[in-house]
Amino acid sequence: MKANSPKRKVFQDALDLLTEDMAVDKAVSENGILQIAIDKITPFHDHPFRLYEGERLADMVQSIREHGVLNPVIVRRTKKGFEMLAGHNRANAAKLAGLKEIPAIVKDKLTEEETYVYVIETNLIQRSFTDLLPSEKAAVLKERHEKISCQGRRNDIVKEIVALEGASQKSTCGHSDHKLRSRDSVGKEYELSGSSVSRLMRLNHLIPEFKEQVDDGRLPFMEAVHLSYLNEEEQNLICQVAEQEGKKIRPKQAEQLRKQNGKIDQEAAENVFRCPEKSRAEKKTVKIWIDAGVYNAYLADVGEADVSEIMEKALKMYFGKAV
DNA sequence: CCGTTTTCCACCCTTCGAAT
DNA sequence: ATTCGAAGGGTGGAAAACGG
């Protein structure tokens, strides 16, 4: 990460916000950190980030086995117990490491918006924005965007952030740059154009299945953007039909669907997938590479015209069936 | 009316198939 | 194996459309 890049700045802002808060907590109470049973903590109700898997998770579990959980997680009190705001991965790894309790800071009296800030910003500390999955980026951008464009409704949080930034003499973070449209301001923080921010934020309108598909690359980004304009029922329908037909959504199809927004029924959905695909001209020949030794042993003396026939006979024998 | 969102278009880069 | 061109995916900027 470059020393003065916008990403670095966002990272630093988030860090400031959190460390300052933690410091306040400690100041208020020396024992502000409680040991809480992991079972009592439920994941954040709208957690947009995927948990670590594979090697990364294994490393974390190993580290916790050796050193314990060094940084407390952040939770808030609920009727049944606690809700995780920051530390989903630590709690998950601690559980796998066999721990029953985890150090936690309990935050009370937070607004819904504030809790969301904790959820988003802490993840940005662990991972740089560019490493996030598309749906995760969408969630982050949404949070940043709302912070900038809906200041009236979010006075509490804006005050907190402005205070922190004012104290550390930070340059613009969108709010002070009113000449920029809000999406451009957000984009500036992450080295994205305003339109890219808009498109990314569209992913927030996708049903979970489509979000997952975008994240693992099964659904291309632009197709996802088109589909995001459909309502939930329509998206579910398309998702279901695509699976039934065993087909991927083509760019043209996604565009077509978007235009039919609001009037897609079962039939329309099926029609989209059945519309004649521009079938590429059937290939008359294919070219393959075979080992020169094999060629010399079996085919070198055979005329080119006969090779295909020989191959066909050989393959029929090999696979035991006619094509 | 003004700010935001969406659309459209030009452009760049990568991928893929066909030709050599 | 290499080269070439077409197509597709993605981006950014400007204009149009939308909404409070």
Side-chain angles (χ1 to χ4, degrees):
Chain A
M1 207 183 278
K2 284 170 283 176
N4 290 314
S5 71
K7 265 174 276 170
R8 174 81 208 176
K9 199 193 106 46
V10 171
F11 177 90
Q12 193 58 49
D13 286 354
L15 197 64
D16 287 352
L17 175 62
L18 282 154
T19 49
E20 180 132 336
D21 247 337
M22 287 175 187
V24 167
D25 244 16
K26 277 174 199 151
V28 169
S29 147
E30 265 303 308
N31 297 318
I33 298 168
L34 306 171
Q35 289 293 326
I36 295 180
I38 299 175
D39 294 346
K40 294 267 179 205
I41 307 174
T42 54
F44 187 64
H45 63 278
D46 187 21
H47 193 242
F49 298 96
R50 280 204 197 178
L51 291 176
Y52 296 161
E53 292 170 355
E55 202 178 320
R56 190 153 191 188
L57 175 61
D59 285 351
M60 202 168 195
V61 173
Q62 183 60 29
S63 159
I64 287 175
R65 281 210 181 99
E66 285 169 23
H67 310 108
V69 178
L70 299 176
N71 294 319
V73 301
I74 302 175
V75 299
R76 69 168 169 178
R77 225 179 288 275
T78 61
K79 280 169 197 156
K80 284 177 251 164
F82 299 92
E83 184 178 25
M84 185 70 81
L85 301 185
H88 290 81
N89 280 305
R90 270 166 286 167
N92 186 37
K95 207 169 178 180
L96 291 173
L99 299 189
K100 296 273 177 272
E101 291 187 332
I102 194 166
I105 293 172
V106 181
K107 301 294 285 185
D108 285 319
K109 296 175 208 155
L110 290 180
T111 63
E112 270 303 302
E113 289 82 359
E114 280 175 317
T115 59
Y116 210 67
V117 170
Y118 279 100
V119 174
I120 297 292
E121 303 293 342
T122 47
N123 268 278
L124 284 175
I125 287 176
Q126 310 295 330
R127 303 153 67 189
S128 78
F129 182 78
T130 45
D131 295 338
L132 298 179
L133 294 168
S135 72
E136 295 174 335
K137 287 182 182 173
V140 170
L141 291 175
K142 184 181 166 206
E143 187 263 323
R144 304 296 290 189
H145 186 259
E146 282 179 1
K147 206 184 290 169
I148 288 171
S149 63
C150 307
Q151 291 183 37
R153 279 184 277 146
R154 317 262 322 245
N155 274 339
D156 45 353
I157 245 171
V158 172
K159 263 185 215 162
E160 184 185 359
I161 290 167
V162 168
L164 284 165
E165 282 178 354
S168 53
Q169 285 292 314
K170 292 272 163 59
S171 59
T172 68
C173 183
H175 339 300
S176 61
D177 199 346
H178 293 296
K179 282 171 207 151
L180 288 174
R181 294 179 295 183
S182 58
R183 72 170 203 196
D184 292 325
S185 306
V186 175
K188 214 173 158 191
E189 294 180 31
Y190 300 100
E191 291 174 322
L192 291 171
S193 73
S195 18
S196 291
V197 171
S198 286
R199 280 187 285 259
L200 266 167
M201 286 199 300
R202 286 302 314 173
L203 302 186
N204 289 310
H205 298 84
L206 289 173
I207 57 171
E209 285 86 345
F210 280 150
K211 276 185 188 167
E212 214 168 283
Q213 290 184 19
V214 183
D215 286 344
D216 47 33
R218 280 176 291 155
L219 178 62
F221 178 67
M222 285 310 294
E223 273 86 317
V225 171
H226 286 309
L227 292 174
S228 75
Y229 291 97
L230 307 181
N231 63 41
E232 198 176 319
E233 293 93 81
E234 289 175 331
Q235 287 187 42
N236 279 316
L237 189 59
I238 297 298
C239 188
Q240 201 186 314
V241 172
E243 203 167 308
Q244 273 169 19
E245 307 268 323
K247 288 185 178 169
K248 281 181 127 186
I249 297 164
R250 314 292 311 164
K252 286 281 182 303
Q253 293 169 340
E255 263 183 76
Q256 195 186 332
L257 284 166
R258 179 177 175 175
K259 284 176 192 154
Q260 295 173 37
N261 178 15
K263 30 185 192 258
I264 296 172
D265 53 15
Q266 183 79 27
E267 201 193 334
E270 285 170 3
N271 281 340
V272 167
F273 288 101
R274 284 177 190 155
C275 69
E277 281 184 47
K278 264 191 206 163
S279 54
R280 289 221 169 78
E282 197 71 21
K283 276 193 201 169
K284 298 246 166 60
T285 58
V286 293
K287 188 183 280 185
I288 57 169
W289 302 102
I290 60 174
D291 187 89
V294 174
Y295 177 82
N296 290 331
Y298 298 101
L299 301 169
D301 298 331
V302 180
E304 247 185 72
D306 296 329
V307 170
S308 188
E309 200 185 320
I310 293 169
M311 292 288 287
E312 190 181 351
K313 280 182 188 166
L315 291 169
K316 269 182 193 167
M317 285 170 71
Y318 182 81
F319 288 107
K321 63 179 181 191
V323 181

